[in-house]
Amino acid sequence: MRASYICSRSLSPKKKKFEMELIVSAVAGDLINRFMSFLINRYKSEENLEEKKERLHDLLIRVHMIVEEAEARYITNSHMLFQLKKLVDVMYRGYHIMDTIKHRTIPSLNEREVSIFNDLYLTTSISRHRRKRSSSISHDLQSALDNLESAVSNSKEFVLLLGGCERICRGPYDSYLYIDNFMFGRHVEKQQIINILLQDNLPPFSPTVLPVIGGGAVGKKTLIAHVCTNDKVRSHFSSILHLNGENIGTMDHEPSITGRALVVVEFCSDVNNENWLKFYSELAKQMGRGSKIIIISRMAKISRFGTVKPVHLNSLSHEEYSYLFKVLAFGSTDPDEQPQLASIAKDLAVALGGSLVRANVYAHMLRKNQNVRFWLSILKKYWNMVENNFKMFGEHPRDLLDKGHPVNIARLASSCDVTLLLMPPHRETNDFKRELPKVKFADLFADTTSLPKEFELVSGECRIPPYKKLVSIVKYCEDDKISLHHSESPSKKRQRLDIKSNMIGTSIVI
């Protein structure tokens, strides 16, 4: 140690300077090499990503071609329907990944755009979600490619058998411009129901009872409406009758039915076995051979009245729902030309959480005003409404409506600083007998009209039979008169805070 110290002291200043230059040069060279290596790897990664993106696009075209052809044919083979369901799921997951890749380079909203909200939630949660998407994009892309390649390779027999299936008569091509007239997806479930309806009844030839069970706003009645307008179904039955299941125990006389008929009964609440058996036996005496009964309900226990396996209608997958919402929100415009709006639409689809009714209602407003600030204001109002219901009732609006309780929608109207209760329609049937002022859902959002103390909120109108309006009763209420108010439990409070900190990716339904 001492010898090296003496040696270093004996070096001249020129040699010391030369050694320092060598060290600096070596360090700089190493940094440059690492930087160049980083750039090369990043370039290769981007190049590889572009190649995979092109491959994904090609596979999506092939799978969509098979799905579209399958949906244009009557498929009676249950295993083929199962195969079609798998193809549809894989296809929409692929489209979801494709959208994620397209939007990954969209810059975050600047402070000027977000300052109108005065709310840190939107900026932090959206940017957190985008960072999460960037970190896992490569893995998700590869997974989507693997699934699509496997689906294509396993569909050879499916395509071959598809050629022997009868083709469905389509309407004029230009009619597809009216998106609201057509049902999105659900082809597998629709075909399952049609197959059952067209089958002959087994001995003792009593009317077959098919339960269709699903949660709120998943499209049960819409699906049955499309089934009833099918050409084969209409020609198979001499008459189609729609009944309210709440009235079957109080009917003075059973409906007059002759010939082979289809009866659709909707249940909002349970009915005792005695009333059902009396109703069914009376119908069976009148209905001709081959008649069918469809019962629709949210409650799984209603399926006990069925004579065949029920058809369960689940919510659309997030990927499928996101695809639908984007189509509805943009209409005839191209989402690729407005990437920031497309990214917001993806977040809004997550927020709406699978409700087909809300998808149509909100998309109708968005389609008329394709502006970034307006779309974000809708997301902000929606979140404020959800948080306000947690504070008042300790539960999510979705859960409140499922339990038949009112929901406070005051935060959907900016100028409304009182409690505004949206009443469940089936609990307020007497109110619909009275003439109440009508307020459109879009006007409520835009604050373009003064709100009466009690009114009918018109969310929209179905454009398929029976052309029902989406109407709910809304009432002003003083906070001290709300019977549902209770203190928020610690678990509910944690749940609300978790949703607020990570709303993007959480199912939210009014």
Side-chain angles (χ1 to χ4, degrees), residues 374-404:
F374 175 72
W375 285 31
L376 280 173
S377 68
I378 288 182
L379 179 61
K380 170 65 163 48
K381 287 183 178 182
Y382 195 92
W383 164 247
N384 281 343
M385 184 274 299
V386 173
E387 186 179 37
N388 193 35
N389 279 275
F390 264 110
K391 289 179 179 177
M392 293 184 66
F393 308 126
E395 293 189 61
H396 197 282
R398 173 192 58 237
D399 301 325
L400 291 171
L401 287 178
D402 285 344
K403 295 177 180 179

mmCIF file of all heavy atoms in Angstrom, residues 374-404:
data_model
loop_
_atom_site.group_PDB
_atom_site.id
_atom_site.type_symbol
_atom_site.label_atom_id
_atom_site.label_comp_id
_atom_site.label_asym_id
_atom_site.label_seq_id
_atom_site.Cartn_x
_atom_site.Cartn_y
_atom_site.Cartn_z
ATOM 1 N N PHE A 374 -66.771 17.862 -23.803
ATOM 2 C CA PHE A 374 -68.131 17.391 -23.529
ATOM 3 C C PHE A 374 -68.120 15.930 -23.086
ATOM 4 O O PHE A 374 -68.797 15.555 -22.127
ATOM 5 C CB PHE A 374 -68.997 17.561 -24.781
ATOM 6 C CG PHE A 374 -70.380 17.004 -24.645
ATOM 7 C CD1 PHE A 374 -71.320 17.630 -23.842
ATOM 8 C CD2 PHE A 374 -70.738 15.835 -25.301
ATOM 9 C CE1 PHE A 374 -72.599 17.114 -23.710
ATOM 10 C CE2 PHE A 374 -72.015 15.310 -25.181
ATOM 11 C CZ PHE A 374 -72.949 15.951 -24.374
ATOM 12 N N TRP A 375 -67.360 15.090 -23.765
ATOM 13 C CA TRP A 375 -67.310 13.671 -23.407
ATOM 14 C C TRP A 375 -66.745 13.475 -22.013
ATOM 15 O O TRP A 375 -67.234 12.646 -21.240
ATOM 16 C CB TRP A 375 -66.478 12.902 -24.440
ATOM 17 C CG TRP A 375 -67.189 12.680 -25.738
ATOM 18 C CD1 TRP A 375 -68.121 13.501 -26.311
ATOM 19 C CD2 TRP A 375 -67.025 11.573 -26.628
ATOM 20 N NE1 TRP A 375 -68.548 12.978 -27.507
ATOM 21 C CE2 TRP A 375 -67.907 11.802 -27.734
ATOM 22 C CE3 TRP A 375 -66.240 10.435 -26.619
ATOM 23 C CZ2 TRP A 375 -67.987 10.910 -28.798
ATOM 24 C CZ3 TRP A 375 -66.327 9.540 -27.690
ATOM 25 C CH2 TRP A 375 -67.186 9.781 -28.765
ATOM 26 N N LEU A 376 -65.725 14.245 -21.666
ATOM 27 C CA LEU A 376 -65.146 14.125 -20.328
ATOM 28 C C LEU A 376 -66.111 14.647 -19.260
ATOM 29 O O LEU A 376 -66.133 14.145 -18.137
ATOM 30 C CB LEU A 376 -63.819 14.886 -20.255
ATOM 31 C CG LEU A 376 -62.616 14.153 -20.838
ATOM 32 C CD1 LEU A 376 -61.415 15.072 -20.873
ATOM 33 C CD2 LEU A 376 -62.293 12.900 -20.046
ATOM 34 N N SER A 377 -66.890 15.661 -19.599
ATOM 35 C CA SER A 377 -67.848 16.189 -18.624
ATOM 36 C C SER A 377 -68.907 15.132 -18.290
ATOM 37 O O SER A 377 -69.376 15.052 -17.152
ATOM 38 C CB SER A 377 -68.522 17.452 -19.172
ATOM 39 O OG SER A 377 -69.369 17.150 -20.265
ATOM 40 N N ILE A 378 -69.278 14.306 -19.269
ATOM 41 C CA ILE A 378 -70.236 13.227 -19.009
ATOM 42 C C ILE A 378 -69.632 12.213 -18.048
ATOM 43 O O ILE A 378 -70.294 11.747 -17.104
ATOM 44 C CB ILE A 378 -70.656 12.560 -20.333
ATOM 45 C CG1 ILE A 378 -71.569 13.506 -21.115
ATOM 46 C CG2 ILE A 378 -71.366 11.231 -20.080
ATOM 47 C CD1 ILE A 378 -72.091 12.932 -22.412
ATOM 48 N N LEU A 379 -68.369 11.861 -18.256
ATOM 49 C CA LEU A 379 -67.702 10.930 -17.349
ATOM 50 C C LEU A 379 -67.619 11.496 -15.939
ATOM 51 O O LEU A 379 -67.851 10.791 -14.953
ATOM 52 C CB LEU A 379 -66.300 10.616 -17.876
ATOM 53 C CG LEU A 379 -65.441 9.663 -17.035
ATOM 54 C CD1 LEU A 379 -66.109 8.303 -16.904
ATOM 55 C CD2 LEU A 379 -64.058 9.514 -17.631
ATOM 56 N N LYS A 380 -67.317 12.785 -15.834
ATOM 57 C CA LYS A 380 -67.214 13.439 -14.529
ATOM 58 C C LYS A 380 -68.566 13.438 -13.806
ATOM 59 O O LYS A 380 -68.663 13.108 -12.620
ATOM 60 C CB LYS A 380 -66.720 14.877 -14.725
ATOM 61 C CG LYS A 380 -66.790 15.766 -13.493
ATOM 62 C CD LYS A 380 -65.868 15.295 -12.392
ATOM 63 C CE LYS A 380 -65.627 16.362 -11.343
ATOM 64 N NZ LYS A 380 -66.803 17.034 -10.847
ATOM 65 N N LYS A 381 -69.635 13.806 -14.507
ATOM 66 C CA LYS A 381 -70.966 13.831 -13.889
ATOM 67 C C LYS A 381 -71.392 12.434 -13.456
ATOM 68 O O LYS A 381 -71.997 12.258 -12.395
ATOM 69 C CB LYS A 381 -71.990 14.413 -14.870
ATOM 70 C CG LYS A 381 -71.881 15.911 -15.080
ATOM 71 C CD LYS A 381 -72.989 16.411 -16.002
ATOM 72 C CE LYS A 381 -72.929 17.911 -16.173
ATOM 73 N NZ LYS A 381 -74.029 18.414 -17.037
ATOM 74 N N TYR A 382 -71.072 11.471 -14.273
ATOM 75 C CA TYR A 382 -71.458 10.100 -13.947
ATOM 76 C C TYR A 382 -70.765 9.649 -12.664
ATOM 77 O O TYR A 382 -71.388 9.040 -11.789
ATOM 78 C CB TYR A 382 -71.089 9.174 -15.108
ATOM 79 C CG TYR A 382 -71.755 7.826 -15.038
ATOM 80 C CD1 TYR A 382 -72.967 7.599 -15.665
ATOM 81 C CD2 TYR A 382 -71.183 6.783 -14.317
ATOM 82 C CE1 TYR A 382 -73.595 6.370 -15.590
ATOM 83 C CE2 TYR A 382 -71.807 5.555 -14.238
ATOM 84 C CZ TYR A 382 -73.008 5.354 -14.876
ATOM 85 O OH TYR A 382 -73.617 4.137 -14.783
ATOM 86 N N TRP A 383 -69.464 9.927 -12.561
ATOM 87 C CA TRP A 383 -68.737 9.528 -11.359
ATOM 88 C C TRP A 383 -69.264 10.254 -10.130
ATOM 89 O O TRP A 383 -69.412 9.667 -9.052
ATOM 90 C CB TRP A 383 -67.246 9.798 -11.513
ATOM 91 C CG TRP A 383 -66.539 9.761 -10.198
ATOM 92 C CD1 TRP A 383 -65.945 10.782 -9.545
ATOM 93 C CD2 TRP A 383 -66.418 8.618 -9.338
ATOM 94 N NE1 TRP A 383 -65.458 10.364 -8.344
ATOM 95 C CE2 TRP A 383 -65.729 9.041 -8.199
ATOM 96 C CE3 TRP A 383 -66.825 7.296 -9.440
ATOM 97 C CZ2 TRP A 383 -65.433 8.180 -7.154
ATOM 98 C CZ3 TRP A 383 -66.531 6.439 -8.393
ATOM 99 C CH2 TRP A 383 -65.844 6.882 -7.279
ATOM 100 N N ASN A 384 -69.569 11.553 -10.255
ATOM 101 C CA ASN A 384 -70.118 12.297 -9.123
ATOM 102 C C ASN A 384 -71.427 11.687 -8.643
ATOM 103 O O ASN A 384 -71.704 11.625 -7.441
ATOM 104 C CB ASN A 384 -70.348 13.762 -9.514
ATOM 105 C CG ASN A 384 -69.069 14.566 -9.503
ATOM 106 O OD1 ASN A 384 -68.069 14.148 -8.911
ATOM 107 N ND2 ASN A 384 -69.075 15.703 -10.170
ATOM 108 N N MET A 385 -72.257 11.224 -9.581
ATOM 109 C CA MET A 385 -73.521 10.592 -9.217
ATOM 110 C C MET A 385 -73.271 9.294 -8.440
ATOM 111 O O MET A 385 -73.925 9.018 -7.426
ATOM 112 C CB MET A 385 -74.335 10.317 -10.481
ATOM 113 C CG MET A 385 -75.717 9.754 -10.262
ATOM 114 S SD MET A 385 -75.771 7.957 -10.095
ATOM 115 C CE MET A 385 -75.129 7.454 -11.682
ATOM 116 N N VAL A 386 -72.307 8.496 -8.897
ATOM 117 C CA VAL A 386 -71.985 7.238 -8.212
ATOM 118 C C VAL A 386 -71.481 7.511 -6.796
ATOM 119 O O VAL A 386 -71.930 6.897 -5.822
ATOM 120 C CB VAL A 386 -70.928 6.446 -9.015
ATOM 121 C CG1 VAL A 386 -70.453 5.227 -8.225
ATOM 122 C CG2 VAL A 386 -71.498 5.996 -10.350
ATOM 123 N N GLU A 387 -70.556 8.449 -6.652
ATOM 124 C CA GLU A 387 -69.988 8.764 -5.335
ATOM 125 C C GLU A 387 -71.054 9.325 -4.396
ATOM 126 O O GLU A 387 -71.076 8.996 -3.200
ATOM 127 C CB GLU A 387 -68.849 9.764 -5.496
ATOM 128 C CG GLU A 387 -68.112 10.035 -4.192
ATOM 129 C CD GLU A 387 -66.985 11.013 -4.383
ATOM 130 O OE1 GLU A 387 -67.153 11.955 -5.178
ATOM 131 O OE2 GLU A 387 -65.948 10.863 -3.737
ATOM 132 N N ASN A 388 -71.960 10.146 -4.925
ATOM 133 C CA ASN A 388 -73.005 10.730 -4.101
ATOM 134 C C ASN A 388 -73.934 9.660 -3.526
ATOM 135 O O ASN A 388 -74.374 9.738 -2.380
ATOM 136 C CB ASN A 388 -73.807 11.745 -4.918
ATOM 137 C CG ASN A 388 -74.704 12.610 -4.065
ATOM 138 O OD1 ASN A 388 -74.355 12.959 -2.938
ATOM 139 N ND2 ASN A 388 -75.864 12.958 -4.585
ATOM 140 N N ASN A 389 -74.246 8.629 -4.321
ATOM 141 C CA ASN A 389 -75.092 7.537 -3.833
ATOM 142 C C ASN A 389 -74.382 6.696 -2.788
ATOM 143 O O ASN A 389 -75.012 6.177 -1.863
ATOM 144 C CB ASN A 389 -75.554 6.669 -5.009
ATOM 145 C CG ASN A 389 -76.737 7.270 -5.740
ATOM 146 O OD1 ASN A 389 -77.883 7.077 -5.356
ATOM 147 N ND2 ASN A 389 -76.458 8.044 -6.782
ATOM 148 N N PHE A 390 -73.071 6.548 -2.907
ATOM 149 C CA PHE A 390 -72.316 5.866 -1.859
ATOM 150 C C PHE A 390 -72.395 6.642 -0.548
ATOM 151 O O PHE A 390 -72.547 6.059 0.530
ATOM 152 C CB PHE A 390 -70.853 5.706 -2.278
ATOM 153 C CG PHE A 390 -70.544 4.377 -2.895
ATOM 154 C CD1 PHE A 390 -70.244 4.263 -4.240
ATOM 155 C CD2 PHE A 390 -70.548 3.220 -2.132
ATOM 156 C CE1 PHE A 390 -69.968 3.037 -4.809
ATOM 157 C CE2 PHE A 390 -70.267 1.988 -2.690
ATOM 158 C CZ PHE A 390 -69.974 1.902 -4.033
ATOM 159 N N LYS A 391 -72.303 7.952 -0.622
ATOM 160 C CA LYS A 391 -72.351 8.767 0.586
ATOM 161 C C LYS A 391 -73.731 8.721 1.231
ATOM 162 O O LYS A 391 -73.863 8.679 2.459
ATOM 163 C CB LYS A 391 -71.984 10.212 0.253
ATOM 164 C CG LYS A 391 -70.518 10.417 -0.093
ATOM 165 C CD LYS A 391 -70.238 11.874 -0.431
ATOM 166 C CE LYS A 391 -68.779 12.095 -0.752
ATOM 167 N NZ LYS A 391 -68.497 13.501 -1.144
ATOM 168 N N MET A 392 -74.782 8.740 0.421
ATOM 169 C CA MET A 392 -76.144 8.795 0.953
ATOM 170 C C MET A 392 -76.653 7.434 1.423
ATOM 171 O O MET A 392 -77.256 7.308 2.478
ATOM 172 C CB MET A 392 -77.101 9.341 -0.118
ATOM 173 C CG MET A 392 -76.874 10.789 -0.472
ATOM 174 S SD MET A 392 -78.108 11.391 -1.652
ATOM 175 C CE MET A 392 -79.582 11.287 -0.652
ATOM 176 N N PHE A 393 -76.404 6.399 0.608
ATOM 177 C CA PHE A 393 -77.012 5.097 0.863
ATOM 178 C C PHE A 393 -76.007 3.998 1.190
ATOM 179 O O PHE A 393 -76.402 2.905 1.575
ATOM 180 C CB PHE A 393 -77.845 4.656 -0.349
ATOM 181 C CG PHE A 393 -78.832 5.682 -0.820
ATOM 182 C CD1 PHE A 393 -78.852 6.106 -2.136
ATOM 183 C CD2 PHE A 393 -79.750 6.235 0.061
ATOM 184 C CE1 PHE A 393 -79.763 7.055 -2.578
ATOM 185 C CE2 PHE A 393 -80.661 7.169 -0.362
ATOM 186 C CZ PHE A 393 -80.673 7.596 -1.683
ATOM 187 N N GLY A 394 -74.718 4.276 0.998
ATOM 188 C CA GLY A 394 -73.706 3.274 1.290
ATOM 189 C C GLY A 394 -73.627 2.168 0.262
ATOM 190 O O GLY A 394 -72.975 1.154 0.499
ATOM 191 N N GLU A 395 -74.305 2.340 -0.897
ATOM 192 C CA GLU A 395 -74.294 1.311 -1.929
ATOM 193 C C GLU A 395 -74.173 1.936 -3.304
ATOM 194 O O GLU A 395 -74.460 3.127 -3.496
ATOM 195 C CB GLU A 395 -75.565 0.453 -1.859
ATOM 196 C CG GLU A 395 -75.679 -0.390 -0.610
ATOM 197 C CD GLU A 395 -76.834 -1.382 -0.706
ATOM 198 O OE1 GLU A 395 -76.800 -2.235 -1.609
ATOM 199 O OE2 GLU A 395 -77.758 -1.286 0.111
ATOM 200 N N HIS A 396 -73.764 1.093 -4.234
ATOM 201 C CA HIS A 396 -73.632 1.530 -5.620
ATOM 202 C C HIS A 396 -75.020 1.667 -6.245
ATOM 203 O O HIS A 396 -75.933 0.916 -5.910
ATOM 204 C CB HIS A 396 -72.806 0.488 -6.386
ATOM 205 C CG HIS A 396 -72.273 0.992 -7.681
ATOM 206 N ND1 HIS A 396 -73.050 1.103 -8.813
ATOM 207 C CD2 HIS A 396 -71.033 1.417 -8.033
ATOM 208 C CE1 HIS A 396 -72.315 1.561 -9.806
ATOM 209 N NE2 HIS A 396 -71.096 1.762 -9.361
ATOM 210 N N PRO A 397 -75.232 2.649 -7.160
ATOM 211 C CA PRO A 397 -76.536 2.790 -7.818
ATOM 212 C C PRO A 397 -77.024 1.508 -8.481
ATOM 213 O O PRO A 397 -78.223 1.215 -8.477
ATOM 214 C CB PRO A 397 -76.278 3.883 -8.865
ATOM 215 C CG PRO A 397 -75.163 4.680 -8.298
ATOM 216 C CD PRO A 397 -74.315 3.729 -7.533
ATOM 217 N N ARG A 398 -76.092 0.743 -9.051
ATOM 218 C CA ARG A 398 -76.477 -0.528 -9.669
ATOM 219 C C ARG A 398 -77.136 -1.451 -8.666
ATOM 220 O O ARG A 398 -78.178 -2.052 -8.932
ATOM 221 C CB ARG A 398 -75.228 -1.190 -10.261
ATOM 222 C CG ARG A 398 -75.447 -2.602 -10.798
ATOM 223 C CD ARG A 398 -74.114 -3.260 -11.089
ATOM 224 N NE ARG A 398 -73.271 -3.315 -9.917
ATOM 225 C CZ ARG A 398 -72.050 -2.792 -9.861
ATOM 226 N NH1 ARG A 398 -71.534 -2.177 -10.898
ATOM 227 N NH2 ARG A 398 -71.330 -2.875 -8.752
ATOM 228 N N ASP A 399 -76.537 -1.559 -7.463
ATOM 229 C CA ASP A 399 -77.085 -2.438 -6.432
ATOM 230 C C ASP A 399 -78.409 -1.904 -5.897
ATOM 231 O O ASP A 399 -79.316 -2.682 -5.574
ATOM 232 C CB ASP A 399 -76.079 -2.583 -5.289
ATOM 233 C CG ASP A 399 -74.755 -3.163 -5.759
ATOM 234 O OD1 ASP A 399 -74.788 -4.027 -6.664
ATOM 235 O OD2 ASP A 399 -73.705 -2.753 -5.246
ATOM 236 N N LEU A 400 -78.524 -0.575 -5.805
ATOM 237 C CA LEU A 400 -79.773 0.013 -5.316
ATOM 238 C C LEU A 400 -80.931 -0.304 -6.259
ATOM 239 O O LEU A 400 -82.022 -0.684 -5.814
ATOM 240 C CB LEU A 400 -79.608 1.532 -5.174
ATOM 241 C CG LEU A 400 -78.662 2.015 -4.065
ATOM 242 C CD1 LEU A 400 -78.417 3.510 -4.187
ATOM 243 C CD2 LEU A 400 -79.233 1.688 -2.687
ATOM 244 N N LEU A 401 -80.708 -0.150 -7.554
ATOM 245 C CA LEU A 401 -81.770 -0.422 -8.517
ATOM 246 C C LEU A 401 -82.124 -1.902 -8.551
ATOM 247 O O LEU A 401 -83.298 -2.264 -8.707
ATOM 248 C CB LEU A 401 -81.345 0.049 -9.910
ATOM 249 C CG LEU A 401 -81.331 1.569 -10.123
ATOM 250 C CD1 LEU A 401 -80.848 1.895 -11.520
ATOM 251 C CD2 LEU A 401 -82.709 2.170 -9.891
ATOM 252 N N ASP A 402 -81.128 -2.759 -8.413
ATOM 253 C CA ASP A 402 -81.405 -4.198 -8.394
ATOM 254 C C ASP A 402 -82.285 -4.583 -7.207
ATOM 255 O O ASP A 402 -83.057 -5.541 -7.271
ATOM 256 C CB ASP A 402 -80.093 -4.994 -8.350
ATOM 257 C CG ASP A 402 -79.379 -4.994 -9.692
ATOM 258 O OD1 ASP A 402 -80.032 -4.658 -10.704
ATOM 259 O OD2 ASP A 402 -78.178 -5.310 -9.733
ATOM 260 N N LYS A 403 -82.160 -3.825 -6.104
ATOM 261 C CA LYS A 403 -82.964 -4.089 -4.915
ATOM 262 C C LYS A 403 -84.295 -3.349 -4.937
ATOM 263 O O LYS A 403 -85.068 -3.436 -3.987
ATOM 264 C CB LYS A 403 -82.183 -3.697 -3.656
ATOM 265 C CG LYS A 403 -80.931 -4.541 -3.416
ATOM 266 C CD LYS A 403 -80.169 -4.043 -2.206
ATOM 267 C CE LYS A 403 -78.921 -4.879 -1.960
ATOM 268 N NZ LYS A 403 -78.144 -4.381 -0.796
ATOM 269 N N GLY A 404 -84.554 -2.594 -5.999
ATOM 270 C CA GLY A 404 -85.810 -1.869 -6.099
ATOM 271 C C GLY A 404 -85.825 -0.572 -5.324
ATOM 272 O O GLY A 404 -86.904 -0.055 -4.999
#
